[in-house]
Amino acid sequence: MEFMRITSAANPSIKLAKNLAQHSRAARKEGLSLAEGIHLARELLSHPELVRKVFLREGAEKNFEISEILQKYLSLKISVVQLPSQIYASISPVDTSAGIVCEIRIPEEGKIKKDEDWIYLDGVQDPGNVGTILRSALASGVTNIALSPQCAYVWSPKVLRAAMGAHFFCNIISSVELAEIKEKTGAVCLVADARGGKDLYEEKWGKGQTLWVFGSEGLGVSEKALELSDLTLLIPLDSRVESLNVATAASVCLFEQRRRRLSGIAHK
Amino acid sequence: MEFMRITSAANPSIKLAKNLAQHSRAARKEGLSLAEGIHLARELLSHPELVRKVFLREGAEKNFEISEILQKYLSLKISVVQLPSQIYASISPVDTSAGIVCEIRIPEEGKIKKDEDWIYLDGVQDPGNVGTILRSALASGVTNIALSPQCAYVWSPKVLRAAMGAHFFCNIISSVELAEIKEKTGAVCLVADARGGKDLYEEKWGKGQTLWVFGSEGLGVSEKALELSDLTLLIPLDSRVESLNVATAASVCLFEQRRRRLSGIAHK
């Protein structure tokens, strides 16, 4: 295989990638991001229009899976840029990388669709949590995700990595108010709140399409979200625990919804 | 309040704490660990026998919550050591710390108890995942946790932080084989496997006490665990997703168990 090769940290492509790796604001500003790892590089083969170039750590092409993926990118006329490991390390969004990073165009904002299930993230700030929630949402069958302006930027490299490719199957609106989503979707607004609410398992809910709201790590959902809530739900926890991690709580709620849908129980 | 003060990085207490912060092997070897943050410092007030000393970043005592906690430690005759921020940073197991770290004695290994629910972690290597599973386990009412020798060390600072205090309510065996736990508890061995198994929601299980097994991030459960399995269960995922994060998958299984227990459904 023939690769391009860059050996200077001063090269504009490297400077740009480094900026994207280090500052999540840069991704939003440039409309570009980095997708690290074998899993994402393979997923992106189904979305080649998003891939601007592929960065490769010198030697990583010896990995059989990576080599297979690179051949496909080359046959799609997408350039593969080989980097000495020190330069690769400066553009990798994670410390222990498999040696492959795709630079991608961030797709346009998603659209508000009626008659489908939604999730709204209300100030979830940890990129790992946002990504894990996307992965769990898709796994539970929900593909519409909207986020408040206070959330970690959903297309940042760390969120991409944690979501393991879920982005590419989802309809994502990166910065919007809950009121707008609720009004335009007409979905029942279910708010998960560790401080109190009806029992997730005992309460009847989930008959029509739902709009689940999950709040921030420290503070939970905002007052605004509680005002817009049609039903506030609580996961019944052992009394020795105050709350679950937000990504865990979201997954428990979304899979209770999936259980109800799969078993044909519209409510309860 | 009167604090001890250390200003030299060469002080033996600092060298020890730094070693504990940086190398999870050190925790196992020394029988000591670090519990970072306000939440853990508050939880540990109920277990003062475990706390050897409290490290404080200079100025952090101005935080009202921290100041309250420090007063209680001082009244328990546990020494509070104030550090200049640079030295504090070297002993803090996390980059963004609230400014308080407790150095703790690791309790003795737990005991194998019959007639109770268990969880076995089979090669879960990410400390954040191990900690999140402990937190979810306790939240779901399961307090007995055993780990394979390949897991992240359960008493390491990063696992302590992710578990948010769950350690102090659990019976933990840090390194043991599944065969021994299964034989001595007599519990039904339920193995979660993303590669295949019976449907988590449709299958009847959970009548007697259970021993749930969750596998490693990359490879899932080991062959040995599959051989010991009484029932292999699969979370029914949307076909666009291969698997869930292991901490998420464990939480979904454990809360399905909790749902069945709470609703009095012994099976289904």
Side-chain angles (χ1 to χ4, degrees):
Chain A
M1 284 183 280
E2 285 283 314
F3 308 126
M4 277 183 56
R5 208 177 139 76
I6 296 179
T7 53
S8 160
N11 181 291
S13 297
I14 300 302
K15 279 183 157 172
L16 172 62
K18 201 169 159 180
N19 197 22
L20 295 174
Q22 290 173 356
H23 307 288
S24 72
R25 267 187 219 162
R28 204 191 282 256
K29 191 179 149 227
E30 304 283 348
L32 300 173
S33 191
L34 299 175
E36 188 279 337
I38 295 174
H39 186 90
L40 286 177
R42 197 188 296 109
E43 287 288 337
L44 280 162
L45 282 168
S46 312
H47 308 272
E49 73 286 359
L50 296 181
V51 182
R52 276 166 51 104
K53 58 171 77 80
V54 179
F55 291 110
L56 176 72
R57 185 177 55 215
E58 200 172 37
E61 69 277 9
K62 288 173 198 152
N63 174 305
F64 178 72
E65 281 181 278
I66 291 181
S67 146
E68 261 192 348
I69 292 166
L70 293 176
Q71 273 168 351
K72 290 183 187 156
Y73 277 112
L74 290 173
S75 72
L76 290 162
K77 310 281 179 217
I78 290 168
S79 54
V80 173
V81 183
Q82 198 185 43
L83 306 175
S85 53
Q86 211 180 339
I87 293 186
Y88 180 86
S90 75
I91 65 115
S92 169
V94 293
D95 290 342
T96 50
S97 169
I100 185 166
V101 168
C102 297
E103 185 181 291
I104 66 165
R105 287 178 197 87
I106 296 173
E108 280 177 25
E109 286 278 281
K111 294 200 170 69
I112 300 184
K113 299 178 193 171
K114 288 190 95 160
D115 307 319
E116 293 191 16
D117 291 319
W118 280 83
I119 290 168
Y120 185 83
L121 302 187
D122 186 23
V124 178
Q125 291 182 329
D126 179 80
N129 283 337
V130 173
T132 302
I133 295 173
L134 255 76
R135 185 176 173 191
S136 291
L138 179 62
S140 81
V142 180
T143 55
N144 299 298
I145 322 280
L147 300 97
S148 75
Q150 293 77 30
C151 286
Y153 182 49
V154 64
W155 289 99
S156 69
K158 281 184 185 160
V159 176
L160 275 165
R161 190 174 138 95
M164 293 285 277
H167 286 79
F168 309 116
F169 296 100
C170 288
N171 175 46
I172 301 173
I173 304 180
S174 73
S175 178
V176 66
E177 294 297 330
L178 176 58
E180 188 181 345
I181 298 288
K182 189 185 171 187
E183 195 195 321
K184 294 192 180 162
T185 62
V188 176
C189 184
L190 302 174
V191 173
D193 191 351
R195 293 163 295 186
K198 304 276 187 178
D199 188 305
L200 175 75
Y201 300 122
E202 288 190 349
E203 198 64 17
K204 293 179 181 178
W205 56 266
K207 203 172 177 181
Q209 84 264 28
T210 58
L211 163 56
W212 271 101
V213 181
F214 305 109
S216 83
E217 289 82 0
L219 304 166
V221 288
S222 61
E223 282 302 315
K224 250 196 280 183
L226 287 173
E227 279 166 29
L228 290 163
S229 168
D230 293 311
L231 181 60
T232 303
L233 288 162
L234 172 80
I235 303 171
L237 304 185
D238 184 284
S239 60
R240 289 163 287 192
V241 176
E242 264 175 47
S243 68
L244 293 173
N245 161 283
V246 60
T248 307
S251 304
V252 167
C253 294
L254 293 170
F255 274 86
E256 174 58 8
Q257 172 167 288
R258 183 158 179 83
R259 183 188 73 80
R260 293 180 182 210
R261 299 274 160 90
L262 288 174
S263 65
I265 320 170
H267 43 80
K268 178 115 197 189
Chain B
M1 284 184 280
E2 284 284 315
F3 309 124
M4 277 184 55
R5 207 176 142 77
I6 297 180
T7 54
S8 160
N11 181 291
S13 297
I14 300 300
K15 279 182 157 172
L16 172 63
K18 201 169 158 179
N19 197 22
L20 295 174
Q22 290 174 356
H23 307 287
S24 73
R25 268 187 218 161
R28 204 190 282 256
K29 190 178 150 228
E30 303 284 348
L32 299 173
S33 192
L34 300 175
E36 188 279 336
I38 295 174
H39 186 90
L40 286 176
R42 197 188 295 112
E43 287 289 336
L44 280 162
L45 283 168
S46 312
H47 308 272
E49 72 287 358
L50 296 180
V51 183
R52 276 166 51 105
K53 58 171 76 80
V54 180
F55 291 110
L56 176 72
R57 185 177 55 215
E58 199 172 38
E61 71 275 10
K62 287 173 199 153
N63 174 305
F64 178 72
E65 280 181 280
I66 291 181
S67 145
E68 260 193 347
I69 291 167
L70 293 175
Q71 274 168 349
K72 290 182 186 156
Y73 277 113
L74 290 173
S75 72
L76 290 161
K77 310 280 179 217
I78 291 169
S79 54
V80 174
V81 184
Q82 197 185 43
L83 306 175
S85 52
Q86 212 181 337
I87 294 186
Y88 180 86
S90 76
I91 65 116
S92 169
V94 293
D95 290 342
T96 50
S97 169
I100 185 166
V101 168
C102 297
E103 184 181 292
I104 66 163
R105 287 177 197 89
I106 296 173
E108 280 177 26
E109 285 279 281
K111 293 201 170 71
I112 300 184
K113 300 179 194 170
K114 288 189 95 158
D115 307 319
E116 293 192 17
D117 292 319
W118 280 83
I119 289 169
Y120 185 83
L121 302 187
D122 185 23
V124 179
Q125 291 182 328
D126 179 79
N129 283 337
V130 173
T132 302
I133 295 174
L134 254 78
R135 184 176 173 192
S136 290
L138 178 63
S140 80
V142 180
T143 55
N144 297 298
I145 322 279
L147 300 97
S148 76
Q150 294 77 30
C151 287
Y153 182 49
V154 64
W155 289 99
S156 68
K158 281 184 186 163
V159 176
L160 275 165
R161 190 175 138 96
M164 293 284 279
H167 285 80
F168 308 115
F169 296 101
C170 288
N171 175 46
I172 301 173
I173 304 180
S174 73
S175 180
V176 66
E177 294 298 330
L178 176 58
E180 187 181 345
I181 298 287
K182 189 185 171 187
E183 195 196 321
K184 294 192 179 161
T185 61
V188 176
C189 184
L190 303 175
V191 173
D193 192 350
R195 294 164 295 187
K198 305 276 189 179
D199 187 305
L200 174 76
Y201 300 121
E202 288 190 348
E203 198 64 17
K204 292 179 183 177
W205 56 266
K207 203 172 177 181
Q209 85 264 30
T210 59
L211 163 56
W212 271 102
V213 181
F214 305 109
S216 83
E217 288 82 0
L219 304 166
V221 288
S222 62
E223 282 303 314
K224 249 196 282 183
L226 287 173
E227 278 166 28
L228 290 163
S229 169
D230 293 312
L231 181 59
T232 302
L233 289 162
L234 172 80
I235 303 171
L237 303 185
D238 185 284
S239 60
R240 289 163 287 192
V241 176
E242 264 175 47
S243 68
L244 293 173
N245 161 284
V246 59
T248 307
S251 304
V252 167
C253 293
L254 293 170
F255 274 86
E256 174 59 7
Q257 172 167 288
R258 183 159 179 81
R259 184 188 71 82
R260 293 180 184 210
R261 299 276 160 88
L262 288 173
S263 63
I265 320 170
H267 43 77
K268 178 111 197 191

